[in-house]
Amino acid sequence: MTEREPFSIHVKVRTYELDPNGHLNHAVYHQYGEIARTELAVTAGVTEGLIKQGIGIVMLESHIRFRREMRFGDEATVTCVSRFEEDKKVFWMDNVITKLDGTVSAEIESTLGLMDLEKRKLVPGPLERIRDAGIDLDLLQGK
């Protein structure tokens, strides 16, 4: 079985996303990651499949490593790949923001969980819950 390319979106830096130094504001990198995570979740059926069960995805932590600046007009791909470990209450989604010339601009690691929307508490076994909801796990994991 051959591995497919990770899920990705295309972004282009807009003037209103710049900071006073003329490069992409740090918070916008996080927004680009969130757009990719959300699009991947929708495409894989996560949002629909889990909401029917009264479960939602929640962000618990996000860490970013800035590698190279992005400036007005720069275009990039933002990849998103999920990682799961058996018997963990959390899972991870990783983003890499890569300019079209191949330069990595930023890497984001996000820790997420699944929350019971009625009880407002994390539920155990996100991998099993996602699997049971009929969600495209291979797409989530970039396989």
Side-chain angles (χ1 to χ4, degrees):
M1 179 172 164
T2 61
E3 269 195 37
R4 64 173 143 190
E5 291 292 315
F7 180 87
S8 68
I9 62 164
H10 181 84
V11 295
K12 184 175 182 178
V13 176
R14 312 279 193 278
T15 56
Y16 62 84
E17 296 173 325
L18 302 177
D19 68 11
N21 298 321
H23 59 248
L24 189 65
N25 180 282
H26 67 280
V28 179
Y29 287 92
H30 285 286
Q31 290 174 346
Y32 289 172
E34 182 65 15
I35 293 166
R37 286 188 299 276
T38 301
E39 290 298 321
L40 173 55
V42 169
T43 301
V46 172
T47 307
E48 182 181 330
L50 292 176
I51 291 295
K52 287 179 183 176
Q53 298 178 30
I55 297 172
I57 298 174
V58 291
M59 175 75 68
L60 302 171
E61 182 179 335
S62 183
H63 177 77
I64 189 166
R65 287 173 295 284
F66 299 102
R67 300 294 186 200
R68 295 288 184 269
E69 70 177 349
M70 291 183 66
R71 301 177 61 85
F72 172 70
D74 283 348
E75 296 181 54
T77 58
V78 183
T79 61
C80 189
V81 174
S82 303
R83 294 182 287 119
F84 298 89
E85 290 182 21
E86 296 289 338
D87 303 321
K88 293 284 185 180
K89 213 172 194 178
V90 299
F91 63 101
W92 300 267
M93 292 182 104
D94 300 323
N95 302 108
V96 178
I97 301 173
T98 307
K99 295 197 276 187
L100 296 185
D101 69 2
T103 303
V104 173
S105 184
E107 299 164 320
I108 306 169
E109 180 185 74
S110 301
T111 304
L112 301 113
L114 299 181
M115 184 173 74
D116 181 309
L117 297 175
E118 185 177 315
K119 295 177 183 174
R120 310 308 285 181
K121 296 197 179 274
L122 288 181
V123 297
L127 177 59
E128 292 78 25
R129 297 276 184 147
I130 288 171
R131 197 180 280 140
D132 292 347
I135 293 160
D136 187 344
L137 198 54
D138 286 345
L139 178 60
L140 283 179
Q141 296 177 311
K143 295 181 180 178

